[in-house]
Amino acid sequence: ISTAALLYGLPGTGKTYFAAALARSCRVPLITTSLGRIFAETHGHLDDMIKGLTQAFDDALKVTPSLLFIDELDSLPDRLTLSTRNRDWWTTIVNHFLKLLDDRREGVAVLGATNLADRIDRAITRSGRLERHFQIEVPDETAITSM
């Protein structure tokens, strides 16, 4: 059974709303984070980013079973498209995130969200990681009125 997935779709389609509803439906705690949040809450140094990502996984592990929601996942760049400027910095962060996905998920379902699925590093979305991809489309009038 897959315990990780990627939600993608246009801005405002309800990806965050879906994550919250999924956690409620499964009756598990929802732990949320994003790289933007980690940047905002720290000085943005490499060790801050590594510790921030690790802390999100640790927070989810403390309350297992749980759902870890990582919003704006495209903030982690595709390593194949990085220029030489800051490549080493970002590669370290992406590699650490991959390690967390591989080693720190016991009892934690991971759900990533993005508006830009084509910008996500293929190693993140490969089999065994965020391999299941679900497009959240703009709701039509019937869907909106039935909420």
Side-chain angles (χ1 to χ4, degrees):
I1 297 174
S2 180
T3 59
L6 177 69
L7 301 177
Y8 67 96
L10 296 174
T13 54
K15 296 177 291 291
T16 303
Y17 182 81
F18 177 85
L22 179 62
R24 280 192 310 273
S25 176
C26 295
R27 295 187 172 123
V28 297
L30 176 66
I31 309 301
T32 63
T33 195
S34 69
L35 260 64
R37 176 181 291 167
I38 296 169
F39 271 116
E41 294 175 352
T42 68
H43 295 288
H45 299 296
L46 182 60
D47 67 324
D48 291 330
M49 301 308 294
I50 296 294
K51 289 175 183 174
L53 285 170
T54 302
Q55 186 64 55
F57 278 81
D58 286 349
D59 290 348
L61 284 166
K62 288 177 189 171
V63 293
T64 58
S66 62
L67 175 62
L68 174 59
F69 179 63
I70 305 165
D71 204 4
E72 307 302 343
L73 191 60
D74 53 277
S75 295
L76 286 173
D78 182 348
R79 292 168 297 169
L80 293 177
T81 63
L82 288 172
S83 68
T84 56
R85 185 173 188 214
N86 298 321
R87 179 184 294 153
D88 293 340
W89 193 85
W90 277 112
T91 297
T92 301
I93 293 171
V94 173
N95 288 346
H96 183 69
F97 181 70
L98 295 172
K99 189 75 171 143
L100 290 168
L101 284 174
D102 290 343
D103 298 343
R104 308 280 294 173
R105 281 196 0 221
E106 187 67 34
V108 176
V110 178
L111 190 60
T114 183
N115 301 330
L116 307 166
D118 60 324
R119 292 193 186 175
I120 299 193
D121 192 297
R122 298 298 172 240
I124 294 172
T125 58
R126 74 157 174 80
S127 179
R129 293 186 179 139
L130 302 184
E131 65 186 271
R132 304 281 315 254
H133 306 160
F134 299 96
Q135 183 174 10
I136 307 293
E137 297 189 16
V138 177
D140 61 16
E141 184 178 335
T142 304
I144 292 171
T145 57
S146 67
M147 294 173 86

